[in-house]
Amino acid sequence: MNILVFTKRVPATQEEELRLLGDGNSVDLSKLPFKVNDWDNYSVEEAVRIVEKTGGAVTAISIGDAESDEVLRRAIAMGAKDGFLVDAGKVLHDPNARATVALNFLKKEGIAFDAIFTGVQSEDDQFASVGGILAGKLGLPYSTMVIGIDAFEPDHIIARRELEGGLQERIKVKVPCVLSIQSGINEPRYVSIMGVRKASKVERKVFKAAVYEEGVPSRIEVVKWVYPEKKGGAVMLAGELESVCKDLLGILKEKGVYQ
Amino acid sequence: MLEQMSTRVLACMQCGKCTGSCPESGKTPFNIRMLVRKKQFAAAIAEELPWYCTSCGACTLRCPRDVKPSEVIIELRSALVEDGLMPLALQKALENTAVQKNPWGKSRGKRGVWADKLDIEIPHVSDTESKRLLFTCCIQAYDPRCMVIPSNVARILNKGGLEFGILGEEEGCCGNEIRRIGEAGLNEELQEENKAIMEEYGVKEIIALSPHCMNAFKKEYGDLGIKVTHYTEIVADMIREGTLTVQAPFEKKVIYHDPCFLGKQNGIFEAPREILRAIDGLTLMEFARSRETSLCCEGGGGRMFFEVETTYERNAEVRVNEAVEKGAEVIATACPFCVMTLEDPATEKGITVKELSEILVEVI
Amino acid sequence: MSYALIVAEVRRGVFEERNLDAIGLCSLLDKESCLLIPEGAYDINDKLVNVVAKVDAEEMVFLNPLNMVSILDKVIEKRGKPDVIIFTHSSSGTECASYMAGRFDLPVITDVSGFDKEGGFFMKSYYSDKIFGQFRQAGDGTYVITVRSGSFKEFVVEKSVSAAVETISGITISEERNFIEYVEEETTEVDITKADFLLSVGRGIGNKDEIEDFMELADMLKAVLSGSRPVIDKMWLPKARQVGTSGKTVKPKVYLAMGISGAFQHIAGMKDSDCIIAVNKDPEAPIFQYAHFGVIADAMKLRDKMKVVLKG
C-alpha cells in the first residue's frame, strides 16, 4: 500500500488570546509557536502503522510555507519515506483552493497512491472539508471521521467511522480512496528531537505551489475577522439551594445533556 | 564483550546502598540495584520500571563505586524515549515543552504575566546595570499556586535593595526535568536557546527560584561564566549583612523540608535554615530525616507530570504525617515541586505548606 | 426556481434535532425550503418547511456521500439548482457537504454559527471559537453550508400549511462505499472521554462514603461520574475515571465539578469542556475562574437537595 498523507503546520492557539490586526483584516499570529496539526499527527501514525503491516510506503505532503518542512521531518521521523513540500506563497483559506492545489499537484507530478489520508480537520480553520473536496474532485470514494481501520486489502478497506453519541458505522470502501482520520484512532508515537534530526537527513522535495495554482478559483471570501461575543467570567447562581438546583437543571436541559 | 557504557554499571558490586537510600524502593516495584544489575548483563528491563525514579540523587550520592545509578536511569529512559515508549502524560509534557517551552503547554507569551500583576516594576535583564537575572521556572510562571513565589521573591530582593531583571516571555524551560525524563535532544535545544538569550543580553548572574533550575544552570549548562545561586542564599546574605531586616514576628512552629535539588544534590542546607532562624517567634523544627537524608517528595524526575500506576502511601503523606505528629503548624520548603506535592495531603491534615518566601513576605 | 435544499440527518429512524438549525438558517435566508429526507416514518413537523422531498432509499444509502451525488443529480433534474445546500455540521453532514462541493464544484462554508442579513455573510469559527471569520461566497451560484448545532433553532418558523411532498427516485447506488453495520462502542469500562456529561468530584467531598450518593446523583442525571486526583489516589474511584494531566483529558458538553478546587493539573484536563459548572464552598477556589456557571455551596448539601428536586 502506498499512502499519501497531507500534514499541516498550524499555530498553537489553544492557550492564547488572539488579537486582530487593522480592524479585523487579519489575525496576529506573529508571536505564536507552531506545531503539527493534531489530526494530521494521527493520520501519519495510522498510515505508518498500515504500511508496517502491508508493505509499501507513506509519503507526507504539506501545502504551506517553507517552515512547513518541520512537519515533514516529523512525519519522516515517524516512519514516512518521503516528504513533499508544496510551497505556497500565501495562506489559502478556501478549502476549495487547497484541495485544487493538491489535486493539480498530484496530477501534474503523476504521484501514484492507493489511499490518501488527511486529518478530519485542521486546528486553525476547522473547515473539515479539504479531504472531501479532494475526493470529490478525484472522483474517489471518501469517508471522514475514520476512527478505526479494521482491514486493509489490496482492493478495499474496512473502516469504522465515528458518528455522534458513541455510535460507529462500519463501512467497506474501495481502494483507491480518500479517508479523513479522526483523532483518537491511535496513540501517535513520540518523536524525539534526535529522531527529527535523523529524519532531516532524508531529502524533502520542494515544489512551488504557484505552478498548481493556475485556475484555482477563490470560491469564498473573508469579509473580516471578529472576536466572539464576550462571555465574561462565571455566572454565579445564588439564592435558596432549591432554586439553585432548579437553575442548574435548566442549564443542563439547555445544554442538551438532561432530557 | 559488553560494550563499556558511559555510566559505570560494570563497576557496581551490588552492595545495595542505592536501593537502601531510594525513596521508591520497598513500596513500588522499583529496585534500582536490580536495574543496574540487569544493565550489567544487558538484560531486558520492564519498560514501566525506569519511570518510578524521582531523580532525587540519593543513590548516586551514596554509591561507594561511583556507579551513578540515577544516571543509569536517565540512560534507560533515553532509550525508551527514542523508541517512543513512555507514559502518555510524559509524552505530552515533552511535546508541550517542544512547542511552548514549558511542560504544561501554557502559552509562552504569558510566561511573564506574573510580573505584570506586581506592585513593583521589574526591568528586563538587558535594562539592568548588574545583568542579574531572576530565573522564574515553568511551574512558578504558570501555576496559580506557585505564581506567588516569584512575586514574593521579587518583592523581597527589591526590599533588600538588589537590582535584578527578568527575561519574561524569552525565558524557556531550563531542561533539568527534560534531561531526567530522557529527552537529551530536547534538553540540548532548550539549553542552547537559553544560553543564546543570556549571551545576547550579557547576563552575569542567575538567581534561580527553583532548585531544579539552579541545578541545571550550575551543573549541566557547561561553563557559562555566570554565577548561579539559589535565592535563599542571596536572602540569607541580605539578612546577615543587614540589608534586609526582619520586622515582624512569625509565631509558629515551622518544620523545614529539604528539597533534594537544593539540599542533598547541591549542599544548600544552611541558607534556608538561617533565614528561618532569623525570624522572631518562629520555632524551627526538623524532620527525623533531614539534610542529606531528607525524604524525597516525589516531585522530581518527571514525576510532577505523570502518575505511576502503583498506589501507595506517598512520601508527601509520610512527611505531612510526621510534621503533624511533631506538632508543627507549618511545613516550610524552598522548591515549587515540594510545595505542590506536600500541599495535597497537608490540606487534608489541616497543616499549612509555605514556600520560604511566603513566610518572609509576612515578616519584612 | 429559487430554493434552499436542506439535507436531513436521520439516524436509526430518528430525525436528528440539529436539523432544526438547518431549517432555522433557511428562515433567516428567506428561502423556500425543501427538506431532503429518505423514505421512512420520521417524526417531523411538516409545517416547518415548504417542501419535503422523499428519496426512495434507505437511510444508510441516503447518508453516503457517493450516493448523495446521484440524489443531488436527481433533485436538480426535478427541481432545478438550489441556491444553497444546507447540511448539519456533523459526521455525515460534513462528509457529504465537502464531497458535494468537490463533485459539483461548489463553494463551501462549514461550521456556520451565525448569519448577518445586512452584510450577507456567515459567521464561521476559527481557532476553536477564539476568532470568527465573516465569510461569503465569491460570485454567484449554488453554495454549500454546514450549520453548527444549536445555532439557528430559534429562528424556525411554523407555517400555516403543511409541506408539499415530492418524491425523488431512480437514484444510482454506489458500489464503491457500502454500509456494513452500526457498531456500539464497547462499554466494558467507562470511558470518561466519550461522555457528554460528566459529574466530577474532588477532595471537597470529604470521604469515601459520599461516593455512593454522588454515583446515585450521576445516575439520576444520566451523567458519568469522574474524579480529580486525590479521589483516585485514595481509591474512592478507579483510575479510569480520573480527569487531569495524570488522568484523562475530557471535553464533555457539560462538566459539573463538585468539591473540586481546580488544581492546575486538573484544569488542564477539563478546561476545554463546552460548559463548566463548578460547585465549591470556597468562593476563592480557582475553578471558578474557568467555570461558565458557579455555585458557592457545600457539594454534599447541593447534591442532596438536587436529589430531592429530581425526585419531586
Side-chain angles (χ1 to χ4, degrees):
Chain A
M1 288 289 159
N2 290 310
I3 306 175
L4 310 180
V5 186
F6 282 89
T7 176
K8 185 178 178 185
R9 182 174 174 265
V10 296
T13 56
Q14 208 178 9
E15 297 289 329
E16 311 290 335
E17 281 106 48
L18 297 177
R19 270 173 211 288
L20 297 176
L21 298 174
D23 198 31
N25 295 326
S26 62
V27 184
D28 183 6
L29 303 175
S30 60
K31 284 196 152 182
L32 301 184
F34 280 71
K35 60 188 273 289
V36 63
N37 176 39
D38 216 19
W39 279 271
D40 300 340
N41 196 30
Y42 288 96
S43 305
V44 173
E45 177 70 34
E46 194 62 20
V48 168
R49 287 188 191 190
I50 290 169
V51 300
E52 277 169 359
K53 278 187 231 139
T54 66
V58 173
T59 302
I61 305 171
S62 190
I63 303 174
D65 56 12
E67 301 274 315
S68 298
D69 182 48
E70 181 183 306
V71 294
L72 294 177
R73 270 177 285 157
R74 198 172 193 289
I76 292 167
M78 286 172 86
K81 184 166 164 279
D82 283 306
F84 296 158
L85 174 66
V86 182
D87 189 355
K90 56 179 190 282
V91 181
L92 301 169
H93 283 298
D94 186 351
N96 254 302
R98 291 186 73 83
T100 310
V101 167
L103 175 81
N104 293 346
F105 168 71
L106 297 180
K107 285 197 165 160
K108 206 156 194 163
E109 304 305 330
I111 295 166
F113 59 87
D114 298 301
I116 295 176
F117 285 5
T118 73
V120 160
Q121 61 180 342
S122 63
E123 290 170 60
D124 50 358
D125 63 36
Q126 304 164 247
F127 258 105
S129 302
V130 175
I133 298 172
L134 180 61
K137 286 184 185 297
L138 285 164
L140 292 179
Y142 175 64
S143 176
T144 187
M145 298 289 277
V146 173
I147 192 70
I149 294 180
D150 300 340
F152 209 117
E153 304 296 338
D155 65 333
H156 73 271
I157 290 170
I158 305 288
R160 270 175 293 120
R161 51 186 308 269
E162 190 178 287
L163 304 171
E164 284 72 18
L167 189 65
Q168 297 180 353
E169 178 189 12
R170 185 171 283 129
I171 55 171
K172 181 177 170 183
V173 188
K174 226 180 132 211
V175 169
C177 62
V178 180
L179 301 180
S180 294
I181 306 295
Q182 169 68 327
S183 61
I185 189 172
N186 51 43
E187 268 178 19
R189 66 196 69 190
Y190 179 68
V191 180
S192 73
I193 301 293
M194 298 285 199
V196 173
R197 281 185 203 155
K198 268 185 225 152
S200 306
K201 290 175 189 143
V202 177
E203 195 196 347
R204 282 87 58 204
K205 281 194 199 134
V206 182
F207 303 84
K208 287 286 168 200
V211 184
Y212 320 108
E213 277 172 10
E214 247 172 86
V216 171
S218 196
R219 308 299 306 272
I220 56 173
E221 59 191 21
V222 189
V223 180
K224 69 185 227 179
W225 304 99
V226 292
Y227 295 109
E229 281 166 43
K230 267 242 179 303
K231 272 187 273 173
V235 177
M236 300 307 284
L237 309 176
E240 290 290 318
L241 211 47
E242 186 166 336
S243 79
V244 167
C245 285
K246 286 178 177 161
D247 290 347
L248 278 178
L249 287 176
I251 295 165
L252 299 179
K253 279 179 189 161
E254 193 195 310
K255 299 290 168 194
V257 294
Y258 181 71
Q259 333 178 329
Chain B
M1 256 299 273
L2 276 170
E3 201 180 317
Q4 183 65 49
M5 291 156 223
S6 56
T7 44
R8 296 171 26 96
V9 289
L10 298 180
C12 173
M13 56 182 182
Q14 291 286 297
C15 71
K17 271 190 132 181
C18 49
T19 294
S21 61
C22 176
E24 299 304 287
S25 69
K27 49 191 187 171
T28 76
F30 185 73
N31 181 336
I32 178 71
R33 179 194 57 76
M34 186 65 87
L35 293 184
V36 173
R37 185 68 170 159
K38 285 189 170 173
K39 190 103 203 266
Q40 284 179 327
F41 292 111
I45 290 169
E47 61 184 65
E48 71 275 6
L49 286 180
W51 305 108
Y52 281 95
C53 171
T54 66
S55 299
C56 73
C59 51
T60 293
L61 287 167
R62 289 220 204 155
C63 177
R65 300 289 288 263
D66 195 26
V67 171
K68 298 192 173 67
S70 51
E71 292 295 317
V72 173
I73 292 298
I74 296 175
E75 268 179 18
L76 288 171
R77 288 179 172 188
S78 295
L80 292 170
V81 166
E82 292 311 320
D83 288 340
L85 302 170
M86 76 195 91
L88 195 58
L90 279 183
Q91 178 173 336
K92 294 285 166 231
L94 294 177
E95 286 168 351
N96 285 337
T97 308
V99 176
Q100 298 281 14
K101 313 297 171 197
N102 69 82
W104 287 278
K106 304 295 268 184
S107 162
R108 185 170 193 187
K110 294 180 186 161
R111 196 168 176 114
V113 165
W114 65 270
D116 299 341
K117 294 175 183 160
L118 210 59
D119 45 6
I120 51 168
E121 196 139 327
I122 310 176
H124 188 274
V125 69
S126 61
D127 295 331
T128 61
E129 193 82 19
S130 57
K131 307 291 180 216
R132 189 180 287 121
L133 169 67
L134 187 70
F135 194 88
T136 316
C137 159
C138 300
I139 193 167
Q140 299 180 125
Y142 298 111
D143 182 278
R145 169 65 183 88
C146 293
M147 259 168 115
V148 297
I149 302 169
S151 302
N152 288 342
V153 175
R155 283 198 198 99
I156 295 161
L157 297 183
N158 191 57
K159 194 139 196 186
L162 193 77
E163 193 210 28
F164 61 92
I166 53 173
L167 279 170
E169 63 190 48
E170 290 166 285
E171 179 183 303
C173 175
C174 68
N176 194 68
E177 302 309 286
I178 303 303
R179 182 173 105 76
R180 281 157 183 77
I181 292 171
E183 223 315 10
L186 181 57
N187 179 45
E188 240 172 65
E189 272 193 6
L190 295 168
Q191 289 197 358
E192 273 159 28
E193 199 179 318
N194 278 324
K195 273 186 213 165
I197 200 89
M198 287 179 193
E199 195 169 324
E200 185 186 336
Y201 297 128
V203 171
K204 288 187 186 139
E205 188 179 336
I206 300 171
I207 303 177
L209 285 171
S210 164
H212 293 251
C213 308
M214 178 195 71
N215 183 72
F217 292 129
K218 247 188 187 168
K219 295 178 166 171
E220 289 165 8
Y221 267 61
D223 185 18
L224 286 174
I226 297 177
K227 184 183 164 201
V228 181
T229 50
H230 186 250
Y231 88 86
T232 52
E233 299 177 89
I234 305 277
V235 173
D237 284 349
M238 284 176 161
I239 293 175
R240 204 180 309 120
E241 286 157 16
T243 47
L244 186 73
T245 46
V246 179
Q247 286 158 344
F250 190 85
E251 313 263 3
K252 294 239 161 80
K253 290 185 202 155
V254 177
I255 193 159
Y256 177 70
H257 165 83
D258 285 285
C260 298
F261 277 85
L262 191 66
K264 60 171 81 78
Q265 295 203 37
N266 283 288
I268 302 174
F269 300 111
E270 270 318 306
R273 286 180 171 82
E274 211 180 314
I275 295 170
L276 290 170
R277 273 190 223 107
I279 302 169
D280 279 345
L282 186 151
T283 316
L284 178 60
M285 302 172 73
E286 293 285 348
F287 283 103
R289 288 182 64 173
S290 76
R291 297 178 185 259
E292 286 87 351
T293 57
S294 171
L295 182 65
C296 172
C297 78
E298 300 174 299
R303 288 282 296 270
M304 205 61 213
F305 319 118
F306 88 109
E307 299 293 329
V308 291
E309 284 300 323
T310 323
T311 345
Y312 58 91
E313 190 187 30
R314 285 162 199 274
N315 286 347
E317 251 173 287
V318 176
R319 277 315 232 194
V320 167
N321 286 340
E322 187 185 338
V324 170
E325 272 163 34
K326 287 209 153 97
E329 294 161 283
V330 173
I331 302 175
T333 189
C335 166
F337 288 176
C338 296
V339 170
M340 295 297 280
T341 49
L342 289 168
E343 198 157 67
D344 238 29
T347 318
E348 208 164 295
K349 297 271 153 62
I351 182 168
T352 316
V353 175
K354 281 185 186 278
E355 204 277 341
L356 260 181
S357 69
E358 294 178 276
I359 297 178
L360 269 170
V361 284
E362 286 183 36
V363 299
I364 57 165
Chain C
M1 198 209 270
S2 157
Y3 72 103
L5 183 70
I6 300 164
V7 181
E9 192 187 353
V10 286
R11 193 63 75 185
R12 294 199 287 188
V14 177
F15 181 76
E16 298 285 352
E17 173 95 4
R18 50 184 168 271
N19 289 312
L20 295 179
D21 293 297
I23 296 173
L25 174 61
C26 202
S27 315
L28 276 185
L29 291 171
D30 252 342
K31 302 271 183 199
E32 190 204 275
S33 51
C34 173
L35 181 72
L36 191 65
I37 190 163
E39 196 69 61
Y42 298 103
D43 184 17
I44 317 170
N45 176 351
D46 68 355
K47 286 184 175 170
L48 299 184
V49 290
N50 300 103
V51 178
V52 172
K54 294 196 171 176
V55 180
D56 184 18
E58 299 182 77
E59 88 180 27
M60 281 86 83
V61 169
F62 180 78
L63 288 172
N64 177 332
L66 279 78
N67 299 332
M68 190 59 71
V69 175
S70 166
I71 295 170
L72 205 52
D73 272 333
K74 295 290 173 195
V75 171
I76 294 170
E77 208 172 277
K78 185 152 186 162
R79 320 190 86 249
K81 280 186 184 168
D83 296 339
V84 52
I85 310 173
I86 309 176
F87 293 88
T88 57
H89 192 72
S90 60
S91 176
S92 292
T94 54
E95 184 172 78
C96 287
S98 58
Y99 201 67
M100 293 312 104
R103 276 301 266 272
F104 291 88
D105 194 21
L106 305 173
V108 60
I109 306 170
T110 58
D111 197 12
V112 166
S113 57
F115 174 63
D116 183 296
K117 227 169 174 168
E118 229 166 89
F121 53 76
F122 298 95
M123 301 295 278
K124 189 216 172 301
S125 163
Y126 255 64
Y127 310 112
S128 310
D129 290 3
K130 285 174 193 244
I131 295 288
F132 282 79
Q134 300 177 338
F135 277 90
R136 65 180 167 216
Q137 74 160 322
D140 299 317
T142 309
Y143 60 97
V144 180
I145 293 284
T146 69
V147 292
R148 180 180 283 197
S149 170
S151 300
F152 300 104
K153 201 158 53 180
E154 61 196 278
F155 302 110
V156 171
V157 186
E158 190 164 314
K159 300 171 200 315
S160 54
V161 291
S162 294
V165 177
E166 293 177 6
T167 316
I168 305 291
S169 52
I171 61 158
T172 319
I173 297 174
S174 168
E175 286 299 313
E176 297 194 320
R177 173 180 153 175
N178 301 313
F179 173 86
I180 300 174
E181 60 183 341
Y182 283 127
V183 188
E184 297 274 1
E185 276 170 44
E186 313 99 59
T187 46
T188 42
E189 200 178 337
V190 237
D191 185 352
I192 58 169
T193 65
K194 295 276 161 61
D196 275 342
F197 181 13
L198 284 176
L199 168 60
S200 214
V201 292
R203 183 206 312 284
I205 66 164
N207 66 73
K208 188 173 180 160
D209 302 339
E210 303 289 347
I211 287 285
E212 205 172 308
D213 285 342
F214 279 102
M215 192 64 99
E216 203 180 306
L217 176 63
D219 286 345
M220 290 169 85
L221 290 169
K222 299 197 172 53
V224 172
L225 192 66
S226 54
S228 63
R229 203 192 83 167
V231 171
I232 281 48
D233 260 10
K234 294 181 200 319
M235 294 192 276
W236 296 353
L237 279 175
K239 179 89 182 163
R241 293 184 188 246
Q242 181 180 352
V243 175
T245 39
S246 49
K248 303 257 171 63
T249 299
V250 298
K251 294 176 186 173
K253 284 186 184 150
V254 175
Y255 189 83
L256 173 55
M258 298 181 78
I260 294 177
S261 61
F264 196 52
Q265 277 87 343
H266 183 75
I267 298 292
M270 48 60 89
K271 67 175 169 23
D272 293 325
S273 307
D274 290 348
C275 175
I276 297 166
I277 307 173
V279 179
N280 204 296
K281 58 184 172 191
D282 174 12
E284 299 297 319
I287 193 154
F288 288 122
Q289 292 168 27
Y290 301 88
H292 301 93
F293 297 96
V295 182
I296 298 167
D298 179 81
M300 273 68 72
K301 281 188 186 147
L302 189 101
R303 173 198 66 199
D304 296 340
K305 182 58 89 181
M306 197 76 160
K307 282 189 186 169
V308 174
V309 172
L310 284 167
K311 279 175 187 154

